[in-house]
Amino acid sequence: MITLDNDILFMGEAIKLARQAAEYGEVPVGAVIVRISDGIIIGKGLNRRESLRSPLAHAEICAIDEAARFLGGWRLSGCTMYVTLEPCPMCAGAIVNSRLDRVVFGAYDKKGGCCGSAANILDIGGMYRPNCCGGVMNEECSSLLKEFFGEKRKNSLDNIKLIEVKTDGQKRRTAEIADEIWHEYFPIIISNEQIDYMVDRFCSVKAMNENTASEGYIYYIISRNGQEVGYTAIKPEKDGRLFLSKIYIYKDMRGKGYSRRVMELHKEFCREKGLNAIWLTVNKHNDTAIAAYKKLGFKCIGEGVSDIGSGFVMDDYYFQLDL
């Protein structure tokens, strides 16, 4: 007889396997298959995709394979699968094809789950349809994933370094990075003509030489494990604030927390130099950057239009983060 107590008991066994996967450096997903008639676990699986270097080595597939060998056949009718994460398309298909009576999962996967979240492969017309129950011990299963990816993200961000731009070669490379990123990012906000003008005026080797020599700007190449991620520039000011002149990340590197990590490094700089705030300017139409700065705790302190020559202007908000 199926009861919630049984579901919690067997999901607990799947969670043990998920924790084991995490210890191996794998995404923490675990699965068990239980024969309903006597409550025996006949198949166990944990995610081993990285260690086996196989796209097939998901916890569900491993559990199904072990259960089929235990029973001596591919049909797993009369059995229930318990898995800590909503199955993906491949695993949902395997569940259907193995004729499992029921699947019980813990955490929902809104982006890739195929038992009702992103799609429902278990309910395709004309095919075998197992029963499904989601959200059993959802909090515990979700916490495993959050902790795993949080730690992985932290380790990744610890490798972000700021390399101060000093040599002519570093300046040329920074100018190239700026030209690449600006022409990729800004066409949706300003014209290509203005981009060309601003890159030449503010991001060229000549501009960097002038800014560092006469105004005290400091330029950095943002690097992660030796790979260039973007660039940033700052200027300590006499009023006790740090002007964040630039922080630009390559398109394929965005959304990984690198800008946040760079901001933390700038905060450390401020603490070392006794500065009490970071301020910056952002184009009024740059909604993505505005949202990101607000999320980091910046507040709008003003706005202004600056004539930068050749008929171009910068129409900006001024944002500040008090430290």
Side-chain angles (χ1 to χ4, degrees), residues 1-12 82 102 136-137:
M1 180 178 178
I2 298 171
T3 67
L4 180 59
D5 287 342
N6 287 338
D7 286 348
I8 291 173
L9 172 66
F10 291 121
M11 186 62 74
Y82 295 88
R102 184 169 175 255
V136 174
M137 299 185 74

Side-chain angles (χ1 to χ4, degrees), residues 106-236:
Y108 289 90
D109 183 354
K110 294 180 180 179
K111 292 183 178 179
C114 283
C115 295
S117 289
N120 195 351
I121 289 176
L122 305 187
D123 193 29
I124 296 177
M127 296 182 66
Y128 175 79
R129 298 181 182 181
N131 292 319
C132 180
C133 176
V136 174
M137 299 185 74
N138 177 38
E139 186 175 340
E140 292 87 344
C141 295
S142 297
S143 293
L144 281 174
L145 293 163
K146 289 176 182 176
E147 289 170 9
F148 176 82
F149 285 112
E151 187 64 27
K152 190 173 182 180
R153 190 182 187 92
K154 178 179 179 298
N155 292 337
S156 174
L157 295 181
D158 285 343
N159 293 323
I160 291 290
K161 307 296 181 187
L162 298 184
I163 302 171
E164 187 172 350
V165 175
K166 294 182 177 181
T167 69
D168 290 342
Q170 289 173 325
K171 291 173 185 176
R172 285 193 296 270
R173 182 57 194 143
T174 303
E176 290 170 354
I177 294 171
D179 186 62
E180 293 170 20
I181 295 177
W182 278 57
H183 281 90
E184 171 267 313
Y185 184 82
F186 279 108
I188 59 173
I189 300 172
I190 57 179
S191 68
N192 283 319
E193 290 78 12
Q194 183 166 348
I195 293 170
D196 291 338
Y197 176 78
M198 292 181 69
V199 168
D200 181 65
R201 176 163 179 183
F202 300 117
C203 306
S204 64
V205 172
K206 179 183 177 182
M208 279 185 271
N209 284 331
E210 292 174 352
N211 289 336
T212 53
S214 63
E215 298 192 44
Y217 280 82
I218 307 170
Y219 289 82
Y220 300 95
I221 292 174
I222 305 168
S223 173
R224 177 180 175 271
N225 294 331
Q227 180 183 11
E228 293 167 348
V229 171
Y231 81 108
T232 184
I234 57 175
K235 176 189 175 185

